[in-house]
Amino acid sequence: FREFTVSRCVFNSSELNDIEFTRSQFYNKLELFRLSSSVGKFVGYTEYGIKQADYRNSLTSYLQQMKAPREAYCQYNIGIDYQSA
């Protein structure tokens, strides 16, 4: 059994409005739930994932903490990538 998390930044420019941060939780290659900065909350894709997404969405401070990487991680590193290119 394998459980893993994938975090990624999808972008068209270095502007914060053009950056989407997603964090997906997988179990045995099946995506259970995902946080998307464009949606602004967790979304579940399985019965278990829906329960986990609802629970995480109810924790407002945790939800805000999970949205922070868009600015702190994505925007910072994308700026470095644009300078290098």
Side-chain angles (χ1 to χ4, degrees), residues 68-83:
R70 182 178 121 180
E71 187 173 347
Y73 175 74
C74 293
Q75 188 175 30
Y76 174 76
N77 286 305
I78 290 168
I80 293 172
D81 291 345
Y82 269 105
Q83 289 175 359

Side-chain angles (χ1 to χ4, degrees), residues 21 33 37 43 46:
F21 172 75
F33 58 92
S37 64
V43 177
T46 65

